[in-house]
Amino acid sequence: MPAQRLLLALALLLSAPVSAQPQAQKALEALGIAMEGYPYPAPVQYLPLTIQGQDVRMAYMDVPPAGKANGRTVVLLHGKNFFGAYWRDTLRALSQAGYRVVVPDQLGFGKSSKPAIDYSFHLLASNTKRLLEQLGIQKAAVVGHSMGGMLATRFARLFPEATTHLVLENPIGLEDYRFAVPWRSTEDLYRGQLGTTEESIRNYQKTYYVTWRPEYDEYVQVMFRQTLSAEYPRLAWVSAATEQMIFQQPVVHEFPLVQAPVLLVIGQEDRTVVGRARVAPENLSKLGQYPELGKRAAKAFPKASLVELPGVGHIPHFEDPEKWHTALLGFLGK
């Protein structure tokens, strides 16, 4: 009998955590820095590239029209703390409206390679152009959110013959951060990235929104789970290098050179500032004033329309998708 009780107790001890353990571990499971296993809303393909002596692959989605094809293509460019999959609703809206939609993950982001290279907007724009050429696309409307807005602007300036429309959704870089944000070395930025925690990611991302919703936490968890990967130091270096790219390579001075018609969609509650933590409190209120920055940018572009969204922060396609899609599709249809 004692032996039977011992065996029963042992069986209970071993079986009790079986159902609970996977759930606890799942919340802390590392995510590879190439986001292996993370589902995208459409099949992911890869463009092989050789950049600065390194063989790399650029991930992208190429989604055909779901509705009646109109023969036009839209390229969606993601922000710094995101990746192509966060465009899922916009991708669907464009596809249903008859557009072919190409959604790349830039090198250093999403499912693309994470090489330690000299990152520049010229390089990323050139890679995007090579992708379009590989797909046989000569002209496209280019849509950029946040950092993607800086990249889209550089693309439109470098390749005016390939850019039919330029759409900027709460882009960063509407001001030159070098004039107001203290410089830090890439090594210092890298060390700061190594100290990233789930709480610090969530607190930062909460600044994007007027009202935090539970579904936004998905993008916190993606970034946090990547910090648990053995390869995270490489991703941390890329994050630091691309932050330096944003700081050192402004595009605001190029707005008058853009030939394509431009749509600016600006959430009026956005106060995003790259390097915010380094700015003295007395100077911070002068930066990231998107209501003013949007108006200034609209005047700087030769052909620009401005749509202002009250009560919306940094990501209109999350916070007010209906108004965002109405503005986007209306502009592209002109």
Side-chain angles (χ1 to χ4, degrees), residues 288-318:
Q289 297 297 317
Y290 271 75
E292 176 188 344
L293 292 171
K295 290 181 175 67
R296 189 189 308 169
K299 292 178 181 178
F301 287 108
K303 296 176 286 186
S305 302
L306 173 64
V307 173
E308 299 176 322
L309 299 181
V312 175
H314 188 59
I315 316 178
H317 72 261
F318 280 174

PDB file of all heavy atoms in Angstrom, residues 288-318:
ATOM      1  N   GLY A 288       7.965  67.108 -32.101  1.00  0.00           N
ATOM      2  CA  GLY A 288       6.895  66.126 -32.290  1.00  0.00           C
ATOM      3  C   GLY A 288       5.503  66.708 -32.325  1.00  0.00           C
ATOM      4  O   GLY A 288       4.526  65.985 -32.060  1.00  0.00           O
ATOM      5  N   GLN A 289       5.384  67.960 -32.674  1.00  0.00           N
ATOM      6  CA  GLN A 289       4.063  68.611 -32.720  1.00  0.00           C
ATOM      7  C   GLN A 289       3.435  68.339 -34.091  1.00  0.00           C
ATOM      8  O   GLN A 289       3.491  69.158 -35.011  1.00  0.00           O
ATOM      9  CB  GLN A 289       4.214  70.103 -32.455  1.00  0.00           C
ATOM     10  CG  GLN A 289       4.765  70.436 -31.088  1.00  0.00           C
ATOM     11  CD  GLN A 289       3.850  69.972 -29.970  1.00  0.00           C
ATOM     12  OE1 GLN A 289       2.625  70.131 -30.044  1.00  0.00           O
ATOM     13  NE2 GLN A 289       4.429  69.402 -28.924  1.00  0.00           N
ATOM     14  N   TYR A 290       2.838  67.164 -34.222  1.00  0.00           N
ATOM     15  CA  TYR A 290       2.372  66.716 -35.527  1.00  0.00           C
ATOM     16  C   TYR A 290       1.305  67.601 -36.172  1.00  0.00           C
ATOM     17  O   TYR A 290       1.290  67.735 -37.414  1.00  0.00           O
ATOM     18  CB  TYR A 290       1.912  65.261 -35.452  1.00  0.00           C
ATOM     19  CG  TYR A 290       3.053  64.302 -35.715  1.00  0.00           C
ATOM     20  CD1 TYR A 290       4.023  64.060 -34.755  1.00  0.00           C
ATOM     21  CD2 TYR A 290       3.189  63.675 -36.949  1.00  0.00           C
ATOM     22  CE1 TYR A 290       5.087  63.213 -35.008  1.00  0.00           C
ATOM     23  CE2 TYR A 290       4.241  62.825 -37.213  1.00  0.00           C
ATOM     24  CZ  TYR A 290       5.194  62.595 -36.236  1.00  0.00           C
ATOM     25  OH  TYR A 290       6.255  61.764 -36.499  1.00  0.00           O
ATOM     26  N   PRO A 291       0.395  68.229 -35.438  1.00  0.00           N
ATOM     27  CA  PRO A 291      -0.540  69.139 -36.113  1.00  0.00           C
ATOM     28  C   PRO A 291       0.185  70.240 -36.883  1.00  0.00           C
ATOM     29  O   PRO A 291      -0.169  70.550 -38.030  1.00  0.00           O
ATOM     30  CB  PRO A 291      -1.377  69.695 -34.960  1.00  0.00           C
ATOM     31  CG  PRO A 291      -1.352  68.610 -33.933  1.00  0.00           C
ATOM     32  CD  PRO A 291       0.044  68.038 -34.013  1.00  0.00           C
ATOM     33  N   GLU A 292       1.208  70.810 -36.277  1.00  0.00           N
ATOM     34  CA  GLU A 292       1.988  71.859 -36.938  1.00  0.00           C
ATOM     35  C   GLU A 292       2.895  71.269 -38.012  1.00  0.00           C
ATOM     36  O   GLU A 292       3.017  71.821 -39.121  1.00  0.00           O
ATOM     37  CB  GLU A 292       2.835  72.602 -35.901  1.00  0.00           C
ATOM     38  CG  GLU A 292       3.760  73.644 -36.500  1.00  0.00           C
ATOM     39  CD  GLU A 292       4.721  74.229 -35.474  1.00  0.00           C
ATOM     40  OE1 GLU A 292       4.471  74.051 -34.264  1.00  0.00           O
ATOM     41  OE2 GLU A 292       5.721  74.846 -35.893  1.00  0.00           O
ATOM     42  N   LEU A 293       3.536  70.139 -37.711  1.00  0.00           N
ATOM     43  CA  LEU A 293       4.463  69.526 -38.660  1.00  0.00           C
ATOM     44  C   LEU A 293       3.756  69.079 -39.934  1.00  0.00           C
ATOM     45  O   LEU A 293       4.304  69.187 -41.034  1.00  0.00           O
ATOM     46  CB  LEU A 293       5.160  68.334 -38.006  1.00  0.00           C
ATOM     47  CG  LEU A 293       6.133  68.649 -36.868  1.00  0.00           C
ATOM     48  CD1 LEU A 293       6.584  67.362 -36.173  1.00  0.00           C
ATOM     49  CD2 LEU A 293       7.346  69.421 -37.384  1.00  0.00           C
ATOM     50  N   GLY A 294       2.542  68.565 -39.805  1.00  0.00           N
ATOM     51  CA  GLY A 294       1.791  68.140 -40.971  1.00  0.00           C
ATOM     52  C   GLY A 294       1.488  69.304 -41.901  1.00  0.00           C
ATOM     53  O   GLY A 294       1.641  69.196 -43.124  1.00  0.00           O
ATOM     54  N   LYS A 295       1.053  70.421 -41.322  1.00  0.00           N
ATOM     55  CA  LYS A 295       0.753  71.606 -42.136  1.00  0.00           C
ATOM     56  C   LYS A 295       2.014  72.117 -42.823  1.00  0.00           C
ATOM     57  O   LYS A 295       1.999  72.502 -44.008  1.00  0.00           O
ATOM     58  CB  LYS A 295       0.149  72.700 -41.253  1.00  0.00           C
ATOM     59  CG  LYS A 295      -1.261  72.403 -40.744  1.00  0.00           C
ATOM     60  CD  LYS A 295      -1.776  73.555 -39.907  1.00  0.00           C
ATOM     61  CE  LYS A 295      -3.233  73.342 -39.494  1.00  0.00           C
ATOM     62  NZ  LYS A 295      -3.383  72.213 -38.552  1.00  0.00           N
ATOM     63  N   ARG A 296       3.128  72.114 -42.088  1.00  0.00           N
ATOM     64  CA  ARG A 296       4.383  72.596 -42.662  1.00  0.00           C
ATOM     65  C   ARG A 296       4.830  71.706 -43.817  1.00  0.00           C
ATOM     66  O   ARG A 296       5.277  72.207 -44.859  1.00  0.00           O
ATOM     67  CB  ARG A 296       5.451  72.637 -41.565  1.00  0.00           C
ATOM     68  CG  ARG A 296       6.741  73.317 -41.978  1.00  0.00           C
ATOM     69  CD  ARG A 296       7.820  73.121 -40.928  1.00  0.00           C
ATOM     70  NE  ARG A 296       7.358  73.503 -39.599  1.00  0.00           N
ATOM     71  CZ  ARG A 296       8.026  73.225 -38.474  1.00  0.00           C
ATOM     72  NH1 ARG A 296       9.155  72.517 -38.531  1.00  0.00           N
ATOM     73  NH2 ARG A 296       7.565  73.619 -37.312  1.00  0.00           N
ATOM     74  N   ALA A 297       4.697  70.400 -43.642  1.00  0.00           N
ATOM     75  CA  ALA A 297       5.107  69.466 -44.695  1.00  0.00           C
ATOM     76  C   ALA A 297       4.231  69.626 -45.928  1.00  0.00           C
ATOM     77  O   ALA A 297       4.717  69.581 -47.063  1.00  0.00           O
ATOM     78  CB  ALA A 297       5.047  68.030 -44.186  1.00  0.00           C
ATOM     79  N   ALA A 298       2.923  69.808 -45.724  1.00  0.00           N
ATOM     80  CA  ALA A 298       2.005  69.952 -46.856  1.00  0.00           C
ATOM     81  C   ALA A 298       2.362  71.160 -47.708  1.00  0.00           C
ATOM     82  O   ALA A 298       2.173  71.149 -48.936  1.00  0.00           O
ATOM     83  CB  ALA A 298       0.568  70.060 -46.353  1.00  0.00           C
ATOM     84  N   LYS A 299       2.888  72.193 -47.081  1.00  0.00           N
ATOM     85  CA  LYS A 299       3.308  73.386 -47.826  1.00  0.00           C
ATOM     86  C   LYS A 299       4.638  73.160 -48.537  1.00  0.00           C
ATOM     87  O   LYS A 299       4.901  73.792 -49.567  1.00  0.00           O
ATOM     88  CB  LYS A 299       3.420  74.579 -46.882  1.00  0.00           C
ATOM     89  CG  LYS A 299       2.098  75.053 -46.317  1.00  0.00           C
ATOM     90  CD  LYS A 299       2.292  76.213 -45.358  1.00  0.00           C
ATOM     91  CE  LYS A 299       0.962  76.684 -44.775  1.00  0.00           C
ATOM     92  NZ  LYS A 299       1.147  77.798 -43.793  1.00  0.00           N
ATOM     93  N   ALA A 300       5.476  72.267 -47.992  1.00  0.00           N
ATOM     94  CA  ALA A 300       6.815  72.053 -48.551  1.00  0.00           C
ATOM     95  C   ALA A 300       6.779  71.203 -49.816  1.00  0.00           C
ATOM     96  O   ALA A 300       7.561  71.428 -50.745  1.00  0.00           O
ATOM     97  CB  ALA A 300       7.726  71.410 -47.502  1.00  0.00           C
ATOM     98  N   PHE A 301       5.896  70.200 -49.857  1.00  0.00           N
ATOM     99  CA  PHE A 301       5.777  69.373 -51.060  1.00  0.00           C
ATOM    100  C   PHE A 301       5.117  70.185 -52.174  1.00  0.00           C
ATOM    101  O   PHE A 301       4.153  70.912 -51.921  1.00  0.00           O
ATOM    102  CB  PHE A 301       4.947  68.124 -50.781  1.00  0.00           C
ATOM    103  CG  PHE A 301       5.632  67.076 -49.950  1.00  0.00           C
ATOM    104  CD1 PHE A 301       5.241  66.849 -48.641  1.00  0.00           C
ATOM    105  CD2 PHE A 301       6.656  66.307 -50.481  1.00  0.00           C
ATOM    106  CE1 PHE A 301       5.857  65.869 -47.867  1.00  0.00           C
ATOM    107  CE2 PHE A 301       7.284  65.329 -49.718  1.00  0.00           C
ATOM    108  CZ  PHE A 301       6.887  65.106 -48.417  1.00  0.00           C
ATOM    109  N   PRO A 302       5.580  70.056 -53.400  1.00  0.00           N
ATOM    110  CA  PRO A 302       4.962  70.808 -54.501  1.00  0.00           C
ATOM    111  C   PRO A 302       3.494  70.476 -54.729  1.00  0.00           C
ATOM    112  O   PRO A 302       2.700  71.357 -55.061  1.00  0.00           O
ATOM    113  CB  PRO A 302       5.807  70.407 -55.720  1.00  0.00           C
ATOM    114  CG  PRO A 302       7.125  70.006 -55.150  1.00  0.00           C
ATOM    115  CD  PRO A 302       6.811  69.364 -53.837  1.00  0.00           C
ATOM    116  N   LYS A 303       3.114  69.196 -54.555  1.00  0.00           N
ATOM    117  CA  LYS A 303       1.727  68.773 -54.800  1.00  0.00           C
ATOM    118  C   LYS A 303       1.282  67.885 -53.636  1.00  0.00           C
ATOM    119  O   LYS A 303       1.514  66.679 -53.647  1.00  0.00           O
ATOM    120  CB  LYS A 303       1.635  68.000 -56.119  1.00  0.00           C
ATOM    121  CG  LYS A 303       1.965  68.822 -57.357  1.00  0.00           C
ATOM    122  CD  LYS A 303       1.946  67.974 -58.623  1.00  0.00           C
ATOM    123  CE  LYS A 303       3.159  67.069 -58.712  1.00  0.00           C
ATOM    124  NZ  LYS A 303       3.241  66.347 -60.006  1.00  0.00           N
ATOM    125  N   ALA A 304       0.653  68.493 -52.637  1.00  0.00           N
ATOM    126  CA  ALA A 304       0.312  67.723 -51.436  1.00  0.00           C
ATOM    127  C   ALA A 304      -1.105  68.006 -50.972  1.00  0.00           C
ATOM    128  O   ALA A 304      -1.616  69.126 -51.090  1.00  0.00           O
ATOM    129  CB  ALA A 304       1.290  68.041 -50.310  1.00  0.00           C
ATOM    130  N   SER A 305      -1.739  66.948 -50.447  1.00  0.00           N
ATOM    131  CA  SER A 305      -3.022  67.048 -49.759  1.00  0.00           C
ATOM    132  C   SER A 305      -2.810  66.599 -48.319  1.00  0.00           C
ATOM    133  O   SER A 305      -2.027  65.679 -48.055  1.00  0.00           O
ATOM    134  CB  SER A 305      -4.067  66.153 -50.428  1.00  0.00           C
ATOM    135  OG  SER A 305      -4.237  66.498 -51.787  1.00  0.00           O
ATOM    136  N   LEU A 306      -3.507  67.214 -47.402  1.00  0.00           N
ATOM    137  CA  LEU A 306      -3.360  66.912 -45.978  1.00  0.00           C
ATOM    138  C   LEU A 306      -4.702  66.470 -45.410  1.00  0.00           C
ATOM    139  O   LEU A 306      -5.709  67.160 -45.559  1.00  0.00           O
ATOM    140  CB  LEU A 306      -2.860  68.147 -45.228  1.00  0.00           C
ATOM    141  CG  LEU A 306      -2.796  68.053 -43.698  1.00  0.00           C
ATOM    142  CD1 LEU A 306      -1.793  66.992 -43.259  1.00  0.00           C
ATOM    143  CD2 LEU A 306      -2.434  69.418 -43.099  1.00  0.00           C
ATOM    144  N   VAL A 307      -4.699  65.299 -44.776  1.00  0.00           N
ATOM    145  CA  VAL A 307      -5.872  64.813 -44.051  1.00  0.00           C
ATOM    146  C   VAL A 307      -5.503  64.725 -42.577  1.00  0.00           C
ATOM    147  O   VAL A 307      -4.585  63.988 -42.198  1.00  0.00           O
ATOM    148  CB  VAL A 307      -6.326  63.428 -44.566  1.00  0.00           C
ATOM    149  CG1 VAL A 307      -7.443  62.874 -43.684  1.00  0.00           C
ATOM    150  CG2 VAL A 307      -6.790  63.522 -46.014  1.00  0.00           C
ATOM    151  N   GLU A 308      -6.186  65.485 -41.760  1.00  0.00           N
ATOM    152  CA  GLU A 308      -5.928  65.514 -40.321  1.00  0.00           C
ATOM    153  C   GLU A 308      -6.991  64.674 -39.607  1.00  0.00           C
ATOM    154  O   GLU A 308      -8.185  64.832 -39.865  1.00  0.00           O
ATOM    155  CB  GLU A 308      -5.951  66.951 -39.812  1.00  0.00           C
ATOM    156  CG  GLU A 308      -4.884  67.834 -40.463  1.00  0.00           C
ATOM    157  CD  GLU A 308      -4.957  69.286 -40.027  1.00  0.00           C
ATOM    158  OE1 GLU A 308      -6.112  69.785 -39.874  1.00  0.00           O
ATOM    159  OE2 GLU A 308      -3.910  69.909 -39.853  1.00  0.00           O
ATOM    160  N   LEU A 309      -6.536  63.787 -38.730  1.00  0.00           N
ATOM    161  CA  LEU A 309      -7.442  62.891 -38.015  1.00  0.00           C
ATOM    162  C   LEU A 309      -7.443  63.238 -36.529  1.00  0.00           C
ATOM    163  O   LEU A 309      -6.518  62.874 -35.792  1.00  0.00           O
ATOM    164  CB  LEU A 309      -7.012  61.434 -38.219  1.00  0.00           C
ATOM    165  CG  LEU A 309      -7.006  60.928 -39.668  1.00  0.00           C
ATOM    166  CD1 LEU A 309      -6.588  59.459 -39.709  1.00  0.00           C
ATOM    167  CD2 LEU A 309      -8.374  61.101 -40.326  1.00  0.00           C
ATOM    168  N   PRO A 310      -8.460  63.937 -36.044  1.00  0.00           N
ATOM    169  CA  PRO A 310      -8.541  64.271 -34.618  1.00  0.00           C
ATOM    170  C   PRO A 310      -8.686  63.013 -33.766  1.00  0.00           C
ATOM    171  O   PRO A 310      -9.294  62.023 -34.183  1.00  0.00           O
ATOM    172  CB  PRO A 310      -9.804  65.139 -34.526  1.00  0.00           C
ATOM    173  CG  PRO A 310     -10.076  65.589 -35.926  1.00  0.00           C
ATOM    174  CD  PRO A 310      -9.565  64.505 -36.816  1.00  0.00           C
ATOM    175  N   GLY A 311      -8.107  63.045 -32.583  1.00  0.00           N
ATOM    176  CA  GLY A 311      -8.244  61.928 -31.651  1.00  0.00           C
ATOM    177  C   GLY A 311      -7.503  60.680 -32.051  1.00  0.00           C
ATOM    178  O   GLY A 311      -7.782  59.594 -31.552  1.00  0.00           O
ATOM    179  N   VAL A 312      -6.528  60.802 -32.951  1.00  0.00           N
ATOM    180  CA  VAL A 312      -5.751  59.664 -33.448  1.00  0.00           C
ATOM    181  C   VAL A 312      -4.268  59.948 -33.201  1.00  0.00           C
ATOM    182  O   VAL A 312      -3.809  61.079 -33.359  1.00  0.00           O
ATOM    183  CB  VAL A 312      -6.013  59.420 -34.946  1.00  0.00           C
ATOM    184  CG1 VAL A 312      -5.117  58.315 -35.496  1.00  0.00           C
ATOM    185  CG2 VAL A 312      -7.484  59.071 -35.170  1.00  0.00           C
ATOM    186  N   GLY A 313      -3.535  58.898 -32.838  1.00  0.00           N
ATOM    187  CA  GLY A 313      -2.118  59.040 -32.561  1.00  0.00           C
ATOM    188  C   GLY A 313      -1.239  58.660 -33.734  1.00  0.00           C
ATOM    189  O   GLY A 313      -1.507  59.025 -34.880  1.00  0.00           O
ATOM    190  N   HIS A 314      -0.203  57.860 -33.449  1.00  0.00           N
ATOM    191  CA  HIS A 314       0.864  57.607 -34.419  1.00  0.00           C
ATOM    192  C   HIS A 314       0.500  56.590 -35.495  1.00  0.00           C
ATOM    193  O   HIS A 314       1.160  56.544 -36.529  1.00  0.00           O
ATOM    194  CB  HIS A 314       2.112  57.122 -33.657  1.00  0.00           C
ATOM    195  CG  HIS A 314       3.340  57.015 -34.504  1.00  0.00           C
ATOM    196  ND1 HIS A 314       3.873  58.089 -35.185  1.00  0.00           N
ATOM    197  CD2 HIS A 314       4.155  55.963 -34.776  1.00  0.00           C
ATOM    198  CE1 HIS A 314       4.958  57.704 -35.832  1.00  0.00           C
ATOM    199  NE2 HIS A 314       5.144  56.421 -35.618  1.00  0.00           N
ATOM    200  N   ILE A 315      -0.536  55.765 -35.270  1.00  0.00           N
ATOM    201  CA  ILE A 315      -0.819  54.691 -36.219  1.00  0.00           C
ATOM    202  C   ILE A 315      -2.292  54.736 -36.631  1.00  0.00           C
ATOM    203  O   ILE A 315      -3.125  53.952 -36.148  1.00  0.00           O
ATOM    204  CB  ILE A 315      -0.466  53.308 -35.628  1.00  0.00           C
ATOM    205  CG1 ILE A 315       0.890  53.339 -34.920  1.00  0.00           C
ATOM    206  CG2 ILE A 315      -0.465  52.236 -36.729  1.00  0.00           C
ATOM    207  CD1 ILE A 315       1.297  52.036 -34.281  1.00  0.00           C
ATOM    208  N   PRO A 316      -2.647  55.616 -37.545  1.00  0.00           N
ATOM    209  CA  PRO A 316      -4.048  55.694 -37.979  1.00  0.00           C
ATOM    210  C   PRO A 316      -4.597  54.379 -38.505  1.00  0.00           C
ATOM    211  O   PRO A 316      -5.792  54.091 -38.316  1.00  0.00           O
ATOM    212  CB  PRO A 316      -4.006  56.769 -39.076  1.00  0.00           C
ATOM    213  CG  PRO A 316      -2.890  57.672 -38.659  1.00  0.00           C
ATOM    214  CD  PRO A 316      -1.851  56.729 -38.094  1.00  0.00           C
ATOM    215  N   HIS A 317      -3.775  53.550 -39.156  1.00  0.00           N
ATOM    216  CA  HIS A 317      -4.342  52.316 -39.722  1.00  0.00           C
ATOM    217  C   HIS A 317      -4.710  51.303 -38.640  1.00  0.00           C
ATOM    218  O   HIS A 317      -5.400  50.323 -38.927  1.00  0.00           O
ATOM    219  CB  HIS A 317      -3.433  51.707 -40.798  1.00  0.00           C
ATOM    220  CG  HIS A 317      -2.174  51.067 -40.346  1.00  0.00           C
ATOM    221  ND1 HIS A 317      -0.942  51.692 -40.393  1.00  0.00           N
ATOM    222  CD2 HIS A 317      -1.915  49.823 -39.886  1.00  0.00           C
ATOM    223  CE1 HIS A 317       0.000  50.865 -39.977  1.00  0.00           C
ATOM    224  NE2 HIS A 317      -0.567  49.730 -39.658  1.00  0.00           N
ATOM    225  N   PHE A 318      -4.302  51.543 -37.393  1.00  0.00           N
ATOM    226  CA  PHE A 318      -4.791  50.768 -36.249  1.00  0.00           C
ATOM    227  C   PHE A 318      -5.940  51.490 -35.548  1.00  0.00           C
ATOM    228  O   PHE A 318      -6.957  50.886 -35.217  1.00  0.00           O
ATOM    229  CB  PHE A 318      -3.680  50.545 -35.232  1.00  0.00           C
ATOM    230  CG  PHE A 318      -2.718  49.432 -35.572  1.00  0.00           C
ATOM    231  CD1 PHE A 318      -1.592  49.224 -34.788  1.00  0.00           C
ATOM    232  CD2 PHE A 318      -2.921  48.590 -36.647  1.00  0.00           C
ATOM    233  CE1 PHE A 318      -0.694  48.196 -35.082  1.00  0.00           C
ATOM    234  CE2 PHE A 318      -2.041  47.576 -36.951  1.00  0.00           C
ATOM    235  CZ  PHE A 318      -0.917  47.373 -36.161  1.00  0.00           C
TER     236      PHE A 318
END
